[in-house]
Amino acid sequence: MEIHLKRVYEENDPNDGFRVLADRLWPRGIKKEALALDLWAKEIAPSTELRKRYHQDGDFETFKKDYTEELKHNVDFPIFCETLKVHKVVTLLTASKEIDRSALPILLSQIS
């Protein structure tokens, strides 16, 4: 399986494959019917508490450790991984400005 990381504000590409929004909140300024989306996986996104704490302190390493721990105990995460396995190409989407410092690379590292 090939997995890409992308901002929701980037153009939809036919090569994106199965498109998954991996944010708990819907992205600002985008109507639900306007976003080419196959799945909104808000249940595997960082918890509201973790997201708020990260936005306040900006410590990515702590966020990475805490989100990884959340995923280990998230009962929806194995189901999410199974859902992805049937697709050859998956694009994980986020509204975050900096993909490298968002939840997506952490999520990608935990998908088996």
Side-chain angles (χ1 to χ4, degrees):
M1 171 176 41
E2 184 179 326
I3 301 178
H4 304 278
L5 307 180
K6 193 173 181 179
R7 291 192 72 220
V8 294
Y9 303 104
E10 294 179 45
E11 291 275 333
N12 180 18
D13 186 311
N15 297 320
D16 283 347
F18 188 73
R19 290 171 50 94
V20 179
L21 176 61
D23 285 346
R24 193 164 295 274
L25 303 176
W26 188 261
R28 290 183 185 197
I30 297 181
K31 294 181 180 180
K32 289 186 180 179
E33 60 275 1
L35 183 60
L37 191 65
D38 297 301
L39 176 66
W40 182 11
K42 56 187 167 189
E43 62 281 341
I44 56 93
S47 66
T48 300
E49 177 185 295
L50 179 55
R51 181 181 49 80
K52 286 181 178 181
R53 191 169 61 236
Y54 177 48
H55 286 287
Q56 286 175 349
D57 67 24
D59 182 355
F60 185 70
E61 290 306 313
T62 299
F63 173 70
K64 182 177 178 179
K65 180 178 75 68
D66 292 345
Y67 182 43
T68 300
E69 195 62 29
E70 276 190 0
L71 288 172
K72 287 179 184 175
H73 300 296
N74 185 329
V75 296
D76 294 311
F77 186 61
I79 298 164
F80 172 75
C81 290
E82 286 300 315
T83 301
L84 298 186
K85 283 183 180 179
V86 299
H87 302 281
K88 291 181 181 178
V89 179
V90 174
T91 299
L92 300 177
L93 303 166
T94 184
S96 296
K97 291 179 183 176
E98 296 180 67
I99 290 178
D100 293 343
R101 294 184 54 83
S102 74
L104 293 189
I106 302 164
L107 180 59
L108 177 61
S109 73
Q110 298 302 306
I111 293 173
S112 52

